[in-house]
Structure formats: structure tokens, C-alpha cells
Amino acid sequence: MKYLTLLVISGICSGLFAQASIVSEKEVIKLMGTRFEITATAENQSIASDAVNVAIREIERIEALISSWQRESQTSLINRNAGIRPVEVDRELFQLINRSLKISALTGGAFDISFASMNKLYQFDKKEHSLPSKNEVEAYVSKIDWKSIILDFDLQSVFLKKKGMRIGFGGIGKGYAANKALDLLKNMEGVKGAVINASGDLITWGDNGKENGWPIQISDPADITSSLGWLTVEDMSVVTSGNYEKYFTSNGTRYAHIIDPRTGYPTTGIKSVTIISPDAEIGDALATSIFVLGLEQGLRLINQLKDIEGLIITDDNELHLSENLKLNQI
């Protein structure tokens, strides 16, 4: 899960635009179990309002497709048939799962949509808890294995080989939804620009009435009301994941809500990860993965990927930037 640590700090926030011909509409709404902030700029208020509504309907459609908590979704059907039979699914869901498996391969299993079997093992309620026993953790980890997600490209079916396996899109779904909503707005006549912000999975496009794109503030994970700095983006995604809203402590150690699917234990060592890329889906998955990979491996991966930058803040409040990222200080 991502949190609202990314804020547009001029233009949209003030509601003032340099060009009189551009107006904006913004709505904050709960979708996919989280806070979405949808902003559209357009030739007139009616078009801007219509654009926001189009984005909301698209996100609702995607939630119905990929949700693992809605019983009638195709994802839930896949999970109910784990270890029993393959399930034929829509091409859209099939391709999302296929891309997820490619990210699993890229990250050596640090990203794994079959992590969902771990969901009930921990309580990330900011309270003190004992860690589960080794046997408990191992029982859940035995059901996590991205290589046991079998895709049949001819039948367009998905089969979870192990009984009790579950898939979920908490590490990629909101980024995907942001991408898809923005794609629709790009094709709407009269729409000039937009920002889709899914609690920190943020993607921008087009004109906000300013000359230099969309200024995005990076909040300080030690105090999310203050800022570490800002950057300006055009037609880019900025995705932040942090451990400061959903966590628990055990013997003085804070454990983030992101679980290492290879070990079954929550991650430690990193407070937040921000990924800047052209694609919110990729940014979403990478932000999750880097929590698992840790600082050194995470930075190494970012620096190897084309058109992707990132910053990592460790538990001891050290800020680490990828090779080509420039952060403006406030």
C-alpha cells in the first residue's frame, strides 16, 4: 500500500493558472481501498469535470477486475481454484499477471504477487506485537512462489499450482489503475492535462498552465507535513512507498507493511522509496521491490534501468539518490 507523500505544490494546489484558457477540476475519493486524488485541466469546467468522472469510472472498473476482496472478481476466482484448475480470464488481467511475473524475474523474487497469502499473519496497526513463530512464517511462505503461477497463452488461463496460494495486486494495482485512467483522459477532446494520485502512486500528463511542468513535493517520512525537496516532471510518474503509516513494532524494531516474499518477514532498514519513471505501474512495483532488496541492491537496480530514477531514505534518515536524479531543496 502507498501513502499520500507526493503533492503538487503549485498550480493545482492553488487553483490558479497562468493561462486563462485553462481551468481545473479536482476530486478526492476513496477507491480500491485507498485515497485517490484526481485532477484534470481543460478548456472549460464542464470538460474538466467530465474528465474526472471518466477517470473514477475507469478505476472502479479495474478494481472490479483485479480485486482479491471482491468475491466475484476474476482474481478471487483464480484464488479459489488454487491447486484445483486453471481459470480463463480477460486478456487485460492475463497481461497484468504476465507483466507482474516479469518484474518478479527482474527483481529475483523481491516482487511477487503471490505474497497475498501472508495478509493475515501480521497486524500493521502501529502497536507492539510479538513476531510469529518460525513455523508459522514458513507455513505461509510455502505458498508464495511466483514460479508456481502458470500462464497458458493459448487458453489465456491462470493456474496457481499450490493449494492455498493467493495472488493480489497491492504492489502494482494502483499504479496500473492510474495509468489506465490517465490514458482515457489523454484521448478526451478538450482535456489539457491531468494528475492521477493513488495515495502516492502519482502520474502526470499535459498542461497545468505553467511553463515548467508539474512541481511535485517529496515529503519527509519523519514528518510528512514537511518536505525534503521537490522536482518538476512532465508526463512522468512519481511513486512513493513509506513505512510511516502502516507498521508495527517488536522489541523496539519497526516493521514496515511490505513483506519480503522470500522470507515471509516484514522489511526493515528503509523508511521510504520514491521512483520516478514514465509508467506508474512500473514505479509502483519497483518501489515495493526496493523495500525488499534494501539500499545497495535497490540503488544498483535503479541505476541499471533506462529512464528510471529514484531516492531511498533509510531508517537512520540518510537520503540516497540514483545517479542522475536532481532534487531541488526547499
Side-chain angles (χ1 to χ4, degrees), residues 113-131:
I113 59 172
S114 68
F115 82 98
S117 63
M118 301 290 299
N119 282 347
K120 296 182 180 180
L121 186 58
Y122 299 100
Q123 290 181 283
F124 297 101
D125 55 7
K126 302 183 182 180
K127 297 179 181 179
E128 177 78 9
H129 295 284
S130 298
L131 291 174

Side-chain angles (χ1 to χ4, degrees), residues 151-211:
L151 302 185
D152 187 316
F153 285 81
D154 293 326
L155 296 177
Q156 204 168 278
S157 67
V158 183
F159 179 50
L160 309 183
K161 285 177 65 176
K162 301 179 182 180
K163 198 92 169 162
M165 280 186 74
R166 290 175 55 83
I167 60 171
F169 298 97
I172 197 171
K174 289 184 290 296
Y176 175 64
N179 278 353
K180 293 290 287 183
L182 192 69
D183 285 345
L184 289 182
L185 303 195
K186 288 179 180 180
N187 293 314
M188 285 185 66
E189 186 173 352
V191 177
K192 299 294 186 180
V195 176
I196 312 293
N197 188 347
S199 290
D201 291 5
L202 179 152
I203 189 165
T204 70
W205 161 75
D207 194 353
N208 68 341
K210 302 290 184 179
E211 292 183 357

Side-chain angles (χ1 to χ4, degrees), residues 128-254:
E128 177 78 9
H129 295 284
S130 298
L131 291 174
S133 70
K134 182 180 178 181
N135 287 342
E136 286 180 287
V137 173
E138 288 178 349
Y140 280 93
V141 170
S142 68
K143 297 177 176 63
I144 300 174
D145 181 10
W146 63 275
K147 294 180 181 179
S148 292
I149 303 173
I150 308 303
L151 302 185
D152 187 316
F153 285 81
D154 293 326
L155 296 177
Q156 204 168 278
S157 67
V158 183
F159 179 50
L160 309 183
K161 285 177 65 176
K162 301 179 182 180
K163 198 92 169 162
M165 280 186 74
R166 290 175 55 83
I167 60 171
F169 298 97
I172 197 171
K174 289 184 290 296
Y176 175 64
N179 278 353
K180 293 290 287 183
L182 192 69
D183 285 345
L184 289 182
L185 303 195
K186 288 179 180 180
N187 293 314
M188 285 185 66
E189 186 173 352
V191 177
K192 299 294 186 180
V195 176
I196 312 293
N197 188 347
S199 290
D201 291 5
L202 179 152
I203 189 165
T204 70
W205 161 75
D207 194 353
N208 68 341
K210 302 290 184 179
E211 292 183 357
N212 299 316
W214 304 84
I216 306 297
Q217 174 181 302
I218 308 298
S219 294
D220 184 346
D223 177 10
I224 61 172
T225 64
S226 63
S227 174
L228 291 171
W230 61 277
L231 47 86
T232 302
V233 297
E234 294 184 74
D235 302 341
M236 293 289 283
S237 166
V238 185
V239 172
T240 290
S241 182
N243 75 346
Y244 32 84
E245 288 286 349
K246 199 172 184 183
Y247 62 87
F248 72 89
T249 59
S250 184
N251 294 323
T253 298
R254 177 182 290 197

Side-chain angles (χ1 to χ4, degrees), residues 24 57 65 109 111 209 227 292-293 320:
S24 72
R57 289 196 297 271
L65 178 69
F111 179 84
S227 174
V292 174
L293 291 171
H320 300 265

Side-chain angles (χ1 to χ4, degrees), residues 270 289-290 293-303 312:
I270 290 177
S289 302
I290 288 164
L293 291 171
L295 174 62
E296 292 185 7
Q297 290 186 58
L299 275 179
R300 189 180 307 122
L301 176 61
I302 295 170
N303 288 327
I312 300 172

